[in-house]
Amino acid sequence: MHTTLLMMSSGGVELDFPAWLRITHFINFLMMGLLIRSGWEIIASHPRFYWNNHCTPGSEWIKFTKDKVSTVPGEFTARDDQRSLSPLISLPGNAKIGLGRAWHALVTCIWLVNGFVYVTLLFATGQWRRIVPTSWDIFPEAWESITIYAGLQIPSIEHFQPYDALQKLMYFTVVFIVAPLMIATGPIMSPAFCGRFPGYVKLFRNRQTARSIHFLGMAFYLFFSLVHVALVFVVHPQYNIAHMMLNKPYNEVSAAEFAQAVTMLILGMVGGVVLWLAASYWSLRNPRFTQTFIWGLTNPIRSFTFDLIKSKQVAKKAFTEADISPFHWVNTRPPTERESTEWNRLKEQNFVDYRLEVGGLVDQPVSLSIDELKALGKETNITMHTCMQGWTGIAKWEGVRLRDVLALVEKKPEAKYVMITSFGHVGHTYDGRPTEPYYECLDISMAMEDETILAWGMNDKPLPDVYGGPLRLRADSMHGYKMVKWVQKVEWIHDYAEQGDGQGGSREDSGLQHFDARV
């Protein structure tokens, strides 16, 4: 009778559990665990969610911290708000957001490929009927299942063909509603994508709303996974487990075969958990290798996608003065006397003696005051600052295009990158050595972008100290850690691999970020 029901419900295609279905299902289980855990690592760096781009303290709709944020810039920084999770919880744990983002990017690629294979085979084999409703009757039938479960009862076996109506609706929601939403909102986390396609972002209202939807999707996946796994062992386990693991009807499975199926299922789940934890401890044991290895794997994909995208917030007039944030987060504090006696001396004199050094691999270096920089021309950019921690803020930045400054010197043929060095120091070093001046490197294409400027003003005022005064880099196609504050010098260099630890900047060296910060 049960086999007859299966055939009738599937339009002549037997809804069994073929090998491809079981394999893609297991891969999805592994990848979702890695995605959720690396997602928690990212969330921990800014454990607050908003419906607005300003991220003003107090406007969160949910937060996972009890810290109260001062609205006086610099009194409480975004770095102070960061949390460190155990490797038992997040991937990799211990506040390694750079590695968390690397893992998230890599696993997303695998998850997408696996999902494409699954959906393709689903429709190619006629198995789509197992999760796609074909009648409006599914809603009252699903409600009936809900009432049965609410009464702590279990629907009879005849309801499962191979799933009952409630299961079918949930699977359809997971595969054809939540997954596409996760895919659609994911790219908006990229500053380059967000700046290049502001119209697309507005489909989700704004960047922070997209981030919140992405978070809710993760929460749904987590809830669904926990309930789904639990019900496998509670609701007709002999039917479920035998079908899933052996692709046999439950009434054709012997006791020994059922025991084998249970063992396979448990071993698969335990193996998945071991893999998730092993990824954390492997990453923390050799974080530099993990950083370069994972980003190396995703580099071919990024080279043909995000690396080609450039922010056009100004050209597309994505923001106006009415959009300027009343509060703008900041990540660091101005240089201390110990870090830079020179910057503190210049500050005491209101930066009247400040000069930007422009040199490196050039024929003749130059030195420029703020007034001389202003004489080169003024760019006014109202743009959204996107921090890799998750927060955003909109401000009006006044400055000069970096390419106009670089045009004052003749670079040598071997010069391939631009290095910007700060008066301030990096917060910590990778190997525990004394801290060094903060620096970042840009490739030529990034240095020449319209929205890459050296800013001396913010919101019609001289650039405040806490935001990088008297001069800071703005490169709005990239995450904020590339936008050096308290700029001391700009230099043409041959290769970023020859600077610092060879990763492309201070945050790449010490924080295990990646050189190309578009994603």
Side-chain angles (χ1 to χ4, degrees), residues 33-34 38 104 147 166 171 202 221 240 247 255 279 373 412 441:
L34 294 172
S38 58
H104 208 72
T147 58
L166 182 59
Y171 268 121
K202 288 181 180 179
Y221 268 126
N240 285 325
N247 195 26
L373 287 169
K412 296 182 178 180
C441 299

Side-chain angles (χ1 to χ4, degrees), residues 19-40:
W20 65 263
L21 184 68
R22 286 175 281 159
I23 292 171
T24 55
H25 196 87
F26 182 64
I27 293 174
N28 188 68
F29 167 71
L30 296 178
M31 294 305 106
M32 286 307 304
L34 294 172
L35 281 173
I36 290 172
R37 297 183 74 247
S38 58
W40 287 345

